[in-house]
Amino acid sequence: MTLHARRHVFKLVALLLWSLLSIAHADEVELSLTNGISALADYRKGGSDKAAVLVLHGFLQTHQFSTVQRIVNELADNDYSVLAPTLTLRIDLRKKSLTCDAIHSHTAEDSTREIDGWIQWLKRQGHQRIVLIGHSTGSIELLNYLNRVNEPAIAHFIATSIGPNWKSRNPKSTPDDIRRAEALLATTPNKIAKYSLSFCKGNYAAPPAAFLSYIRWTEDYILQHYGKLQVPAQIILGDSDLFLPENWAETLQAQQFDITLIDGANHFFTGTGEFEFLDSVLAAVVRASDRLR
Amino acid sequence: MSANNQPRQPGVRPRSITAYLIAFFSLSALLFVLTAWWMLYKMDEIRQVASDTTHQIAREEINEAIEVVRSTARTHAYDLASWDETYQQFADPTFYLYWRSNRALQSGLLPGYIVDVELYDSNGRPLQENGHLAAMPERLPDVDLELAKESGTDMLYVFTPVLDKRDNRIVIGHAAIKLDFIAALQTLNRFNRVDFNSITSILPEGERIDAGQIEQILVFDVRGLAETEQLERLMQQTLTRFAILAALMLLAAYLLASHLIHKPLHRLIFHIKTLSKSNIGSPHNGLSSTLHLKELESLRVAINDYQDQLDEMHSNLDQKNRELWQLAHNDPLTGIANRRAYEDDWKQLMQVVSGQRIPISVMLIDCDHFKAINDTYGHETGDRVIHSVAQCLSRALRKNDRLYRIGGDEFAMHLINTTLVAAEALAIRCQTNLAEFDFKQFGIKEPVRFSIGIANAYGDDSNALFQLHRKADVAMYQAKAPGRRKVICFEEGMGSSSALLSNRYVNAVYQAVESGAGLVMYFQPIVAVNSKVNGFYEVLTRLKDDEGLITPANIFPVIAAEGLEAEFDFRLIDLLADKLAGGMIPEKTSLSFNMDGTTLMSSEVIEHLEELSAHLDRNSIIIEITETALIADLHEARKRLDYIRTMGFRVALDDFGSGYSSLRYLSNMPVDIIKFDINMTRDLLGSGGQRIIAEDIANMVLKAGYELIAEGIETRELLKKVQNIGFTYVQGYLLGRPAESVDKRVTLALEHFDLPK
């Protein structure tokens, strides 16, 4: 066994042990929202001298999603306070991921409000330096939030596996969905129809407005708004991420964005590249935290 | 009584083995039928028990299935009530209708048998009044589960509260599901005994009941009975096959038993019956083929062995019979046929030639003076003579002639299809052979002569055939007469042939012998010459029939020819005893009677004489024995005469001088009286040697101490002569003819006797 391999085994065992401990110390927190429902989040309190980290899950997932949990655990293990909220998607105290077929009446604005609510919650908890980490669509949600809200507490933004909700540069059915949604919005705004969005292929059930609220998150939207970010940001991608558009990393690099490519890693950073990914995340958080200290 | 003829035991009735076999196999078949019936009966019982058990199991199975449905339905309702999307509807029911139809029923959360879903608010009203399903209750009922019959379908309604996520004591609403109960029952359960396609309820249309009563309204078919029926069919098939197999086995066993037992037994019985019906000693074929059963095979072998032993015994018996026949029909001395063979062959010949015109001749050959030869030269020499005579005669015979030795020195032949001339030629050839034989080689100095008598008759003349032997005998005696030819053919009128020719005398003799009928006694006086002795009467026998009196000349040839000497004498003795017993003969009257030598040698003579001896105290009796008879077996004759004399009889030797006995024998004979032959008496008046010899013999006898009777005294001259010689008694017509009774007045003493003038 090589030294490298031994190191990975050691990290794996350590991760499992700390995961158990972390779960034992995990604290589910609830945030009442303005629409009458409440949201849940996994909160790990860390050292007060370190920046707090908000880790947001991807499309229709929860904070229990494995990639999120690995990031949370990694950071919590390193004594960072970590908050991993679950977007309610208009479901009170949502704990489970939603299927594409479920009624998606929630909008991008709902998510922005919830993110802001949680950031405010962190601040109420005493965390004045906050690092945002998003995974996949969560990264866009945070990008959208940063684009809309100027929150001084946000110290750093790490966008992992960030990509468009639909591949506008190589569209297939989504333009039709947009037209159909726009037509429905004009006539029967409460009509639920099925669209293609993210990994939902023609079965994303949503009223037109809700659907259209997410559909603007295209490649161009990312390129345009990421470049306008007022906080330090960096992108971590797996070089084997098949969910992203072709040559997406090159496109981003072409914009001079801070991008870390993990060799062999997929969209969820499972398997090969997992530890390198976590190392990269931790390193980025450490840098951001240290920088703000 | 033989075992076969023993009466049958009461109650025991023998039956054929076929009957027993049929009875056995019928009983076996009946047993099988009873067994089959019992099996079917038991099978029915088992089927009933199995049916009851199956129904019970099915009922338990359906009850468990109902409980599974109830439990599962509650779980489904709970799943719905705790589903995020349900909470989503309670938070914002804007899209409730879409959710109910597209999400609640199609998200996969609920199974397909759930047909409707409804959410109610905490007050029990539909979450969206406008979109309420008519198929669901308008208001939340009080029960959590109920079953309703709707359009023929059993619908199970399940109602469960939707609790607040933060505080489960708070009910924010209710979730209701409606499911097709029977479909759920069939989907959620696997039935072994219940035919799930048959499950239905007896709930009336539109009725609703609490779900706890579902067990009472479900009906169903039991599937397990099919297996029992299949098992029953299988058992029936097995039973049928077993029946066929058993029937075949019974048939095979019957055939086997028939082959191994029945048929072999019948073969044995048939064989034994054949043996029992066939002639003993006739050849039989044994049971050859081997039998398969050891016991029957042993029986077969035993029967064959027994049969072989019987055959061997029969063979031995046949051999012994042949030997006995040979002994009975052959003369041991000469090897030729004996008298019995002669008589048997004669009877057979009579049957063969009866009614046919076939000439039959009988030839009798007798050795002259053989007794004298025998006595003089001994029995051994006599036997040699007889043996040589047989050889000489045999050489003279023709091819089909047969020689018989019918007496001591008497030979005979039946000459079939032979005329008198041919028979005479054969006789002459015999005489030639005999004459040419050298008897001197046996030490015999005297010439040995033979007399041959021939008689001839035809087969169709039964009377003549019947007399043929006697005629030949007459002819032979004619040939014995001095000076005659030694071969004489019988001629009518020869000797006493007139008597012989008639059946009258034969019948009379046989009648007398058999019943005493016709037997008449005559008494001729024998007068004492001197006073020292008493005279007596000689009892003379005559026969009387319808035609009159038959004289001795006609009686005794018949007696001799028929061999009835002893029987005739016994009848005479018995008659004499009767007369003595009846007092028909005066007391103190002495009697004498003649007894043939054959009678003396008979085993029964003593018995008859003992009867007669009872009268000896009143009447002295003298038995006159002919000389010829005495010398036939001198030793035995002497013993018997001694015994007779001890009984009290006196013995006289009759016809002394007519035979060839030597004086030496006479001197040893136990007799009291000698009766001179009539010819010797007459010789006393002759001249020359004959008179001298006769006188000398008389004197010698008298000197020897015997009393001497002279018979044939018919003249005074002869009486005077015998008186002078000293004869003790005299007898003859001069002194008295035979009379039918005894004259009491007459004194049998010559000095008192009135002689005729």
Side-chain angles (χ1 to χ4, degrees), chain B residues 389-585:
Chain B
V389 169
Q391 287 183 331
C392 290
L393 294 175
S394 295
R395 283 197 300 271
L397 297 182
R398 298 170 301 182
K399 184 178 179 182
N400 294 320
D401 294 336
R402 193 177 185 191
L403 179 65
Y404 305 87
R405 185 188 178 205
I406 62 173
D409 60 335
E410 193 171 5
F411 295 85
M413 281 179 265
H414 303 141
L415 303 173
I416 304 168
N417 201 19
T418 304
T419 62
L420 199 57
V421 175
E424 188 175 8
L426 177 61
I428 291 170
R429 195 158 63 245
C430 291
Q431 278 289 21
T432 303
N433 284 357
L434 291 168
E436 290 175 352
F437 189 81
D438 180 17
F439 289 100
K440 291 181 179 176
Q441 61 181 304
F442 303 140
I444 300 173
K445 297 173 182 175
E446 297 83 0
V448 181
R449 296 188 180 87
F450 297 87
S451 299
I452 298 177
I454 303 170
N456 180 267
Y458 284 90
D460 55 355
D461 187 352
S462 59
N463 191 43
L465 286 176
F466 185 75
Q467 302 290 342
L468 201 56
H469 181 86
R470 291 174 196 152
K471 288 179 181 179
D473 195 42
V474 169
M476 184 189 72
Y477 278 100
Q478 289 288 324
K480 280 183 179 290
R484 298 292 300 271
R485 291 177 60 236
K486 299 307 288 181
V487 175
I488 297 295
C489 296
F490 180 82
E491 295 173 359
E492 294 300 331
M494 183 177 284
S496 55
S497 59
S498 58
L500 291 169
L501 288 172
S502 174
N503 276 334
R504 175 194 168 194
Y505 309 130
V506 176
N507 292 335
V509 166
Y510 271 99
Q511 200 169 3
V513 167
E514 291 174 2
S515 64
L519 188 64
V520 179
M521 285 185 174
Y522 278 73
F523 301 90
Q524 186 178 26
I526 297 176
V527 180
V529 176
N530 54 56
S531 57
K532 294 179 182 175
V533 296
N534 294 321
F536 54 93
Y537 288 94
E538 181 179 6
V539 178
L540 300 172
T541 309
R542 303 289 185 269
L543 291 177
K544 185 182 284 183
D545 62 4
D546 295 340
E547 297 180 20
L549 201 63
I550 302 172
T551 61
N554 292 324
I555 294 171
F556 289 104
V558 173
I559 291 172
E562 299 294 328
L564 298 170
E565 293 90 347
E567 287 80 359
F568 192 83
D569 287 345
F570 293 152
R571 185 59 63 187
L572 174 65
I573 294 169
D574 295 342
L575 182 61
L576 183 58
D578 289 343
K579 285 185 175 297
L580 287 169
M584 297 169 66
I585 297 172

Side-chain angles (χ1 to χ4, degrees), chain A residues 210-271:
Chain A
F211 167 68
L212 291 172
S213 69
Y214 290 104
I215 203 66
R216 53 193 171 87
W217 292 348
T218 63
E219 295 100 316
D220 291 337
Y221 177 87
I222 293 170
L223 293 173
Q224 181 183 350
H225 288 84
Y226 190 84
K228 294 179 182 178
L229 285 175
Q230 298 301 310
V231 294
Q234 73 176 100
I235 296 170
I236 300 176
L237 300 177
D239 69 352
S240 297
D241 188 344
L242 301 179
F243 281 80
L244 299 177
E246 289 182 5
N247 304 316
W248 177 242
E250 289 79 1
T251 301
L252 295 175
Q253 286 173 338
Q255 299 296 321
Q256 302 299 312
F257 295 159
D258 182 2
I259 296 175
T260 301
L261 278 176
I262 307 300
D263 291 339
N266 57 26
H267 189 72
F268 305 102
F269 302 101
T270 55

Side-chain angles (χ1 to χ4, degrees), chain B residues 232-303:
Chain B
E232 186 181 359
R233 280 197 299 274
L234 184 66
M235 290 183 72
Q236 283 178 342
Q237 286 176 355
T238 305
L239 196 62
T240 304
R241 289 169 185 164
F242 179 65
I244 295 170
L245 184 65
L248 290 175
M249 288 181 67
L250 280 175
L251 179 63
Y254 177 80
L255 294 175
L256 191 66
S258 176
H259 178 69
L260 293 180
I261 301 173
H262 179 244
K263 287 183 179 177
L265 269 181
H266 271 270
R267 278 185 55 202
L268 291 171
I269 291 167
F270 178 77
H271 181 69
I272 292 169
K273 283 184 177 178
T274 304
L275 288 177
S276 66
K277 288 177 181 176
S278 61
N279 293 327
I280 295 174
S282 59
H284 297 106
N285 292 325
L287 287 168
S288 56
S289 56
T290 303
L291 301 180
H292 298 290
L293 275 186
K294 187 178 180 181
E295 291 79 4
L296 290 178
E297 175 62 12
S298 299
L299 181 60
R300 183 190 72 83
V301 171
I303 288 173

Side-chain angles (χ1 to χ4, degrees), chain A residues 52-258:
Chain A
V53 181
L54 184 148
V55 183
L56 189 62
H57 59 78
F59 190 59
L60 306 183
Q61 297 301 318
T62 67
H63 67 257
Q64 297 295 339
F65 189 68
S66 60
T67 304
V68 172
Q69 281 297 306
R70 283 198 298 274
I71 295 169
V72 169
N73 291 334
E74 177 72 12
L75 296 174
D77 294 344
N78 288 277
D79 199 28
Y80 286 93
S81 293
V82 184
L83 178 70
T86 295
L87 297 177
T88 63
L89 306 181
R90 295 196 180 181
I91 292 173
D92 188 26
L93 301 174
R94 186 173 76 89
K95 288 185 176 178
K96 296 176 183 176
S97 60
L98 271 183
T99 63
C100 294
D101 294 322
I103 297 172
H104 298 285
S105 57
H106 55 90
T107 63
E109 288 71 24
D110 293 335
S111 300
T112 300
R113 280 193 292 272
E114 285 187 32
I115 293 168
D116 184 60
W118 283 113
I119 289 172
Q120 299 311 313
W121 183 86
L122 278 173
K123 289 166 67 176
R124 286 196 294 275
Q125 303 305 315
H127 300 294
Q128 297 305 314
R129 293 169 296 163
I130 300 171
V131 175
L132 300 179
I133 300 176
H135 176 249
S136 189
T137 300
S139 297
I140 307 177
E141 299 266 14
L142 292 175
L143 177 62
N144 185 52
Y145 166 77
L146 290 173
N147 189 44
R148 293 192 174 218
V149 180
N150 185 15
E151 172 56 57
I154 304 303
H156 195 77
F157 173 44
I158 301 171
T160 65
S161 298
I162 187 170
N165 259 355
W166 64 285
K167 299 171 184 176
S168 59
R169 295 185 179 182
N170 186 20
K172 290 183 178 176
S173 59
T174 303
D176 293 336
D177 288 345
I178 293 171
R179 281 190 292 274
R180 184 158 54 91
E182 287 173 344
L184 287 175
L185 186 63
T187 56
T188 51
N190 286 332
K191 172 76 173 180
I192 293 178
K194 292 189 176 180
Y195 307 97
S196 293
L197 184 67
S198 186
F199 54 78
C200 295
K201 307 302 181 187
N203 59 348
Y204 186 79
F211 167 68
L212 291 172
S213 69
Y214 290 104
I215 203 66
R216 53 193 171 87
W217 292 348
T218 63
E219 295 100 316
D220 291 337
Y221 177 87
I222 293 170
L223 293 173
Q224 181 183 350
H225 288 84
Y226 190 84
K228 294 179 182 178
L229 285 175
Q230 298 301 310
V231 294
Q234 73 176 100
I235 296 170
I236 300 176
L237 300 177
D239 69 352
S240 297
D241 188 344
L242 301 179
F243 281 80
L244 299 177
E246 289 182 5
N247 304 316
W248 177 242
E250 289 79 1
T251 301
L252 295 175
Q253 286 173 338
Q255 299 296 321
Q256 302 299 312
F257 295 159
D258 182 2

